[in-house]
Amino acid sequence: MQIKSAEYKASYIDVAKCPKGEVPEFAFIGRSNVGKSSLINYLCGRKKLSKVSNTPGKTQTLNFFDINETLQFVDLPGYSFARVSIEMRNKWDNMIRNYILHREQLMYVFQLIDARIPPQKVDLEFIGWMGKNHVPLVVIFTKADKAGGKDTLQNIQTFKNELLKEWDELPVTFVTSAEKKHGKEAVLEFIEKEARSYYKQKKSQLEEEKENAS
Ligand code: GDP
């Protein structure tokens, strides 16, 4: 898939207020500073679609982007930002978890993991929570500037081993670097395939409804 158009649509803080639609949605989440904005920009081939900043914790809303007029990306606030009050952190946390649990058109959550560091407790906790709640998820390793590098490979393997302590099966994983610009083709192919199957299912549902009505 090639992203031909990517437009910022709107931001919300309450999932109940996010407009419902018929388009499949893919959400991006990770620790502050994991490289989420950079990855979204890289996937979309845009420099400033999602703000890249050195000030972690800036994105505090659910940010919606229209992609090719056929699907949506949702940029979720980075979790685990230390420099805010516990009250504020709990508020964000509730907002994110409510969105993930209650958004009907959400197809996948892309959990971003920094490939340059060993597994972090907060990431394992969050992914564990999603697993327990049967949230369809994909892991995207970020900042893998040297994809075949020893440390990168080791961090990725250790992360997978941690997941396998709890799970029987690993989720789909991708390895990317927004800086070195590699890894996006596989991610976009996955998104295209899933969006296609969403529309196919929708079509057969409609046909079935028509048949039942006649
Ligand atoms: P966010 O807070 O998760 O949205 O992260 P940003 O996209 O703002 O990136 C945080 C920092 O990581 C910035 O200084 C980026 O330049 C840097 N960064 C993002 N992607 C990469 C990458 O692929 N490789 C490297 N080396 N740095 C990256």
Side-chain angles (χ1 to χ4, degrees), residues 31-39 51-54 56 116 142-145 176-180:
R31 253 175 337 107
S32 301
N33 223 27
V34 71
K36 183 160 52 66
S37 305
S38 306
L39 179 74
K51 234 184 187 169
V52 179
S53 91
N54 287 318
R116 297 190 306 185
T142 60
K143 305 192 186 181
D145 300 345
T176 64
S177 164
E179 183 141 314
K180 298 289 178 206

Side-chain angles (χ1 to χ4, degrees), residues 1 4 11 16 38 91 97 99 101 105 147 149 174 179:
M1 180 176 90
K4 293 186 185 126
S11 299
S38 306
K91 228 166 140 184
R97 288 176 202 246
Y99 165 82
L101 294 180
Q105 67 212 76
F174 296 107
E179 183 141 314

Side-chain angles (χ1 to χ4, degrees), residues 37-52:
S37 305
S38 306
L39 179 74
I40 292 174
N41 288 339
Y42 166 50
L43 290 177
C44 295
R46 294 272 294 272
K47 281 206 174 99
K48 286 185 188 158
L49 187 67
S50 179
K51 234 184 187 169
V52 179

Side-chain angles (χ1 to χ4, degrees), residues 86-121:
I86 290 184
E87 197 188 334
M88 184 71 108
R89 228 185 301 168
N90 287 342
K91 228 166 140 184
W92 294 358
D93 205 54
N94 279 338
M95 173 174 79
I96 296 168
R97 288 176 202 246
N98 272 333
Y99 165 82
I100 290 177
L101 294 180
H102 303 300
R103 183 70 170 164
E104 267 174 44
Q105 67 212 76
L106 176 62
M107 294 221 74
Y108 274 94
V109 175
F110 293 122
Q111 162 87 54
L112 273 48
I113 301 293
D114 189 337
R116 297 190 306 185
I117 52 175
Q120 303 289 296
K121 196 167 160 239

Side-chain angles (χ1 to χ4, degrees), residues 42-213:
Y42 166 50
L43 290 177
C44 295
R46 294 272 294 272
K47 281 206 174 99
K48 286 185 188 158
L49 187 67
S50 179
K51 234 184 187 169
V52 179
S53 91
N54 287 318
T55 321
K58 258 192 168 173
T59 330
Q60 297 155 19
T61 47
L62 311 165
N63 301 321
F64 287 71
F65 298 88
D66 172 85
I67 306 296
N68 289 352
E69 293 177 16
T70 50
L71 54 99
Q72 280 180 172
F73 282 175
V74 184
D75 186 1
L76 301 175
Y79 53 77
S80 172
F81 176 50
R83 272 176 278 157
V84 293
S85 66
I86 290 184
E87 197 188 334
M88 184 71 108
R89 228 185 301 168
N90 287 342
K91 228 166 140 184
W92 294 358
D93 205 54
N94 279 338
M95 173 174 79
I96 296 168
R97 288 176 202 246
N98 272 333
Y99 165 82
I100 290 177
L101 294 180
H102 303 300
R103 183 70 170 164
E104 267 174 44
Q105 67 212 76
L106 176 62
M107 294 221 74
Y108 274 94
V109 175
F110 293 122
Q111 162 87 54
L112 273 48
I113 301 293
D114 189 337
R116 297 190 306 185
I117 52 175
Q120 303 289 296
K121 196 167 160 239
V122 70
D123 289 333
L124 291 167
E125 275 170 9
F126 197 80
I127 206 166
W129 173 81
M130 288 203 284
K132 272 195 198 102
N133 285 285
H134 309 288
V135 176
L137 65 93
V138 164
V139 173
I140 302 185
F141 292 98
T142 60
K143 305 192 186 181
D145 300 345
K146 289 184 204 143
K150 193 169 154 257
D151 289 348
T152 306
L153 291 177
Q154 189 166 358
N155 289 333
I156 291 174
Q157 193 52 52
T158 315
F159 192 85
K160 288 180 176 174
N161 292 344
E162 283 295 327
L163 291 185
L164 287 172
K165 283 185 188 166
E166 300 281 331
W167 300 357
D168 294 335
E169 226 181 304
L170 284 173
V172 171
T173 59
F174 296 107
V175 180
T176 64
S177 164
E179 183 141 314
K180 298 289 178 206
K181 303 211 177 319
H182 63 71
K184 87 167 176 180
E185 292 75 16
V187 178
L188 292 177
E189 215 171 277
F190 176 88
I191 292 172
E192 183 179 33
K193 187 175 92 217
E194 293 302 323
R196 255 206 204 126
S197 83
Y198 172 93
Y199 282 113
K200 206 169 154 194
Q201 207 182 332
K202 199 116 212 144
K203 200 174 151 204
S204 58
Q205 251 173 19
L206 280 176
E207 280 167 1
E208 208 175 297
E209 277 168 22
K210 250 193 216 163
E211 228 166 77
N212 290 341

